[in-house]
Amino acid sequence: MPVAYRIFAYLLRNELSTAKAIASDCNCTQQTANKTLLRLMDLGVAMRDKQRGSYHWSLIRGD
């Protein structure tokens, strides 16, 4: 399964995660995770929030 699908599925299961945790779970490098997360953010699917000095990623969920 492509990395983007694994990362999207990971974000569906977990509300807030760092790129390092996502990379570890999705079996990819942190650099690949960051690039993919930024691409998802550009598409309006994901967002990041700075908490305690690091970025935490999540999906944008509509009400």
Side-chain angles (χ1 to χ4, degrees):
M1 180 184 305
V3 173
Y5 292 133
R6 290 192 307 246
I7 290 175
F8 185 77
Y10 181 90
L11 289 174
L12 282 172
R13 294 187 314 267
N14 301 286
E15 291 216 8
L16 287 173
S17 295
T18 62
K20 184 176 182 177
I22 293 169
S24 174
D25 193 69
C26 295
N27 197 25
C28 65
T29 64
Q30 189 171 347
Q31 181 180 8
T32 300
N34 275 322
K35 285 182 181 180
T36 304
L37 289 163
L38 287 171
R39 198 171 310 126
L40 288 172
M41 190 171 77
D42 288 343
L43 292 171
V45 175
M47 65 181 184
R48 66 181 175 184
D49 183 31
K50 192 165 188 170
Q51 296 179 359
R52 291 186 229 107
S54 61
Y55 287 110
H56 287 71
W57 292 88
S58 64
L59 291 179
I60 296 174
R61 299 184 187 258
D63 291 337

